[in-house]
Amino acid sequence: MPVYSENELAVDELDGILSWLGEAAQPADGPGLYTRYCGNCHGADARGGIVQVGLVGRPAGDISEKIREGEGGSNYGSRRGYMPRWTRAQISDAEAQLIWAAINGR
């Protein structure tokens, strides 16, 4: 994504975009949840993607742990070394299980 200066995209416009994105309905199935939260980095097939970290075959507990703990602290700019942590309000334990099932074709 290109960098935009405040002259091109004002802070209030960016806040509006982020709010709009945050209000999108939560997917109700594993594939939809995976696409929304994981696919952009780990690839459509969960075999590595841009971060080169495959998820297929990993135990459900590993997936849930990474969802809760994240990776890379607050180094948001490190696309290959940063993963946000998600709260149970954002991704429930049941939804984490659906993501794992989607990754593993179950």
Side-chain angles (χ1 to χ4, degrees), residues 4-28:
Y4 292 95
S5 71
E6 286 188 38
N7 293 333
E8 296 170 303
L9 182 64
V11 171
D12 61 331
E13 291 174 311
L14 179 58
D15 287 343
I17 291 168
L18 294 173
S19 292
W20 178 78
L21 289 170
E23 293 168 4
Q26 178 84 325

Side-chain angles (χ1 to χ4, degrees), residues 7 49 59 62 98:
N7 293 333
D62 287 359
L98 289 172

Side-chain angles (χ1 to χ4, degrees), residues 3-93:
V3 175
Y4 292 95
S5 71
E6 286 188 38
N7 293 333
E8 296 170 303
L9 182 64
V11 171
D12 61 331
E13 291 174 311
L14 179 58
D15 287 343
I17 291 168
L18 294 173
S19 292
W20 178 78
L21 289 170
E23 293 168 4
Q26 178 84 325
D29 64 348
L33 290 162
Y34 175 82
T35 297
R36 180 164 191 182
Y37 290 101
C38 315
N40 190 46
C41 294
H42 294 283
D45 62 0
R47 297 195 181 274
I50 190 76
V51 296
Q52 300 175 359
V53 176
L55 303 176
V56 175
R58 291 192 180 209
D62 287 359
I63 302 297
S64 293
E65 180 179 322
K66 283 297 179 193
I67 286 171
R68 297 291 171 240
E69 294 179 4
E71 183 75 35
S74 60
N75 188 6
Y76 311 120
S78 177
R79 176 81 187 267
R80 294 176 194 234
Y82 172 77
M83 177 182 151
R85 73 180 88 167
W86 303 100
T87 66
R88 283 178 174 80
Q90 294 167 310
I91 300 175
S92 70
D93 291 339

